Amino acid sequence: MTDSVQMESIAAAVGDLPALPQVAARVMQAINEPTVGVRDLEELISRDQAMTAKVLRIANSAFYGVRGEISTLSRAIVVLGFNTLRSIVFSIVTEALHARRQSCFKDQILWDHSLAVALAARTIATECRFAGHEEAYVGGLLHDIGKVVLDANLPDRYLQVIERVYNESMSFIDAENEIFGFDHTDVGALVVDRWSLAPGLREAVRLHHQPMGAEIDPSLCAIVSLANSMCIKLGIGPERDPDLVLNELESALMLTLDPPRVVAIASAVGERLAQEKARLSLT
């Protein structure tokens, strides 16, 4: 079975995929255009009252240390910068998907994991001098989006996955493949396709458990993979493996990070997660 046929089969089995909200989609498209200006983005974002309020609130947070209140969307966009704005819009969209009430996951466990992976990925990218810091952040946010879709669309069967993970100490990948015949990385790739995101992001989502298979952007894939492993080791999220030796993982070897730096990045993730949730007003 070819990859395209297999993905079509998976899409049919999963059902409806989440659409990128119209305003968010237009903002993403605009940011990628070299001629876009602040006024263009202001006009787009202002069409969504909730997003406008969130962007203003974040720009006014203590994190940015700006004197005086930022009362206009245009000023907020200047303070944040286009790349950070892109990450914030993705944060708003993905947090909303994770927060749906019908989810089997409780207490935002999976959302905390995704946000922590995003933060770790951004830090790893900085340490590795990888140019796409915000791309790494978005990759972290989206790496497990397939779990959210499976949980929302096939809740009864996905509850079986969760039970096997918790009761039989199976990995999500193994439990999903046993129950569905495919896993969350396949579904995540479908979401990235639907949202028309960069091929490197699709690869990072689909191969974050197999980074050595990446061909489009191996560094991005390895960054997201290592960030995910850090959070699993720390127990941030539904999977926990405190015995993981991070420095021996494929992802760490691919990135040639010094072992002490890997440890330092991992040790700071918990604190940064609390700070980011406060900055994004998601606590």
Side-chain angles (χ1 to χ4, degrees), residues 62-131:
F63 181 86
Y64 291 98
V66 179
R67 292 183 179 180
E69 182 182 3
I70 297 172
S71 58
T72 66
L73 192 53
S74 60
R75 175 61 177 155
I77 293 169
V78 171
V79 168
L80 296 170
F82 286 7
N83 286 334
T84 300
L85 178 66
R86 180 172 181 264
S87 297
I88 289 169
V89 172
F90 266 115
S91 298
I92 294 169
V93 171
T94 52
E95 193 272 341
L97 289 175
H98 282 79
R100 288 182 296 189
R101 291 186 177 181
Q102 69 266 34
S103 172
C104 292
F105 285 112
K106 306 300 182 186
D107 302 323
Q108 291 191 312
I109 292 173
L110 189 57
W111 167 241
D112 281 357
H113 172 74
S114 295
L115 187 57
V117 172
L119 291 166
R122 179 192 278 157
T123 305
I124 295 167
T126 301
E127 289 290 332
C128 295
R129 299 183 180 179
F130 179 75

Side-chain angles (χ1 to χ4, degrees), residues 19-226:
L20 188 61
Q22 188 177 52
V23 170
R26 290 183 177 179
V27 171
M28 298 307 167
Q29 182 180 9
I31 288 175
N32 290 330
E33 295 174 358
T35 59
V36 71
V38 171
R39 290 187 181 278
D40 300 315
L41 293 173
E42 178 184 24
E43 195 276 330
L44 288 172
I45 295 172
S46 64
R47 298 177 187 177
D48 186 319
Q49 290 184 343
M51 187 176 293
T52 298
K54 181 79 71 173
V55 169
L56 283 169
R57 188 158 60 245
I58 293 170
N60 278 292
S61 69
F63 181 86
Y64 291 98
V66 179
R67 292 183 179 180
E69 182 182 3
I70 297 172
S71 58
T72 66
L73 192 53
S74 60
R75 175 61 177 155
I77 293 169
V78 171
V79 168
L80 296 170
F82 286 7
N83 286 334
T84 300
L85 178 66
R86 180 172 181 264
S87 297
I88 289 169
V89 172
F90 266 115
S91 298
I92 294 169
V93 171
T94 52
E95 193 272 341
L97 289 175
H98 282 79
R100 288 182 296 189
R101 291 186 177 181
Q102 69 266 34
S103 172
C104 292
F105 285 112
K106 306 300 182 186
D107 302 323
Q108 291 191 312
I109 292 173
L110 189 57
W111 167 241
D112 281 357
H113 172 74
S114 295
L115 187 57
V117 172
L119 291 166
R122 179 192 278 157
T123 305
I124 295 167
T126 301
E127 289 290 332
C128 295
R129 299 183 180 179
F130 179 75
H133 299 169
E134 296 308 313
E135 197 84 347
Y137 182 92
V138 172
L141 284 177
L142 297 179
H143 79 288
D144 273 350
I145 197 70
K147 290 180 181 177
V148 180
V149 174
L150 285 168
D151 189 33
N153 291 8
L154 304 168
D156 293 338
R157 294 176 68 191
Y158 207 68
L159 182 58
Q160 297 175 40
V161 171
I162 297 170
E163 289 173 344
R164 293 200 178 187
V165 169
Y166 282 100
N167 298 332
E168 301 175 27
S169 299
M170 293 181 71
S171 70
F172 273 90
I173 291 284
D174 289 341
E176 288 163 350
N177 275 297
E178 186 172 306
I179 291 173
F180 296 110
F182 53 86
D183 60 62
H184 67 274
T185 66
D186 299 313
V187 179
L190 288 170
V191 175
V192 173
D193 283 342
R194 179 165 192 194
W195 290 5
S196 300
L197 303 181
L201 272 174
R202 181 188 192 278
E203 181 180 67
V205 169
R206 192 167 192 195
L207 296 178
H208 67 271
H209 290 287
Q210 301 170 307
M212 291 192 75
E215 297 178 352
I216 299 170
D217 197 339
S219 293
L220 176 61
C221 191
I223 287 168
V224 173
S225 178
L226 180 57

Side-chain angles (χ1 to χ4, degrees), residues 211-253:
M212 291 192 75
E215 297 178 352
I216 299 170
D217 197 339
S219 293
L220 176 61
C221 191
I223 287 168
V224 173
S225 178
L226 180 57
N228 180 56
S229 296
M230 283 181 177
C231 294
I232 290 174
K233 181 177 179 66
L234 293 168
I236 303 175
E239 284 188 272
R240 302 182 180 191
D241 187 353
D243 297 325
L244 263 180
V245 181
L246 297 174
N247 296 316
E248 296 179 1
L249 297 175
E250 289 180 358
S251 52
L253 297 174

